[in-house]
Amino acid sequence: QVQLVESGGELVQAGGSLSLSCAASGLNFPAAAMGWFRQASGKGRDFVAAINWNGGRTYYADSVKGRFTISRDNAKDTVALQMNSLEPKDTAVYYCAAGAISGSELPSEYAYWGQGTQVTVSS
């Protein structure tokens, strides 16, 4: 049974930083393409960042480039999202996802999802 468990979301002031983590179990993590998505209240699920199997390639939504960094630790089966210079528009539930296609921005191409962690950025 595949499980993805996100952690690290909280309330932070604009301009602050947060680090999200996702712990995976039940899958061949080193072979999985991993991604982060977010969903603001009343909106669809948007791509944030993705990373290929060995961390050699990373992909970002234009809205977070230069502010967010995705990384992975295949020894610990974890993927992280470092978020700096946070803005109120970054407020959303952040989801970790695992799939087979590196860099995909489409939620439909990720087979497994976590339950999400809430990030709230106050102005």
Side-chain angles (χ1 to χ4, degrees), residues 4-26:
L4 301 175
V5 180
E6 302 96 335
S7 61
E10 61 182 70
L11 173 64
V12 64
Q13 287 190 332
S17 298
L18 275 180
S19 182
L20 304 183
S21 183
C22 172
S25 61

Side-chain angles (χ1 to χ4, degrees), residues 38-46 89-93 95 118:
R38 64 187 181 186
Q39 187 166 12
S41 181
K43 297 189 177 181
R45 194 164 293 190
D46 294 329
K89 67 179 181 180
D90 296 316
T91 295
V93 177
Y95 295 91
Q118 176 70 48

Side-chain angles (χ1 to χ4, degrees), residues 49-121:
I51 190 167
N52 77 326
W53 69 277
N54 67 353
R57 289 196 173 187
T58 56
Y59 311 82
Y60 297 95
D62 287 342
S63 59
V64 306
K65 278 180 184 176
R67 300 189 298 124
F68 290 11
T69 303
I70 187 172
S71 61
R72 67 188 296 161
D73 185 339
N74 285 349
K76 297 182 178 179
D77 290 359
T78 58
V79 60
L81 185 68
Q82 176 65 39
M83 304 185 294
N84 299 327
S85 301
L86 283 162
E87 304 170 2
K89 67 179 181 180
D90 296 316
T91 295
V93 177
Y94 283 70
Y95 295 91
C96 169
I101 302 175
S102 292
S104 175
E105 299 185 9
L106 299 176
S108 60
E109 292 186 344
Y110 290 83
Y112 304 104
W113 293 83
Q115 82 290 346
T117 186
Q118 176 70 48
V119 172
T120 303
V121 184

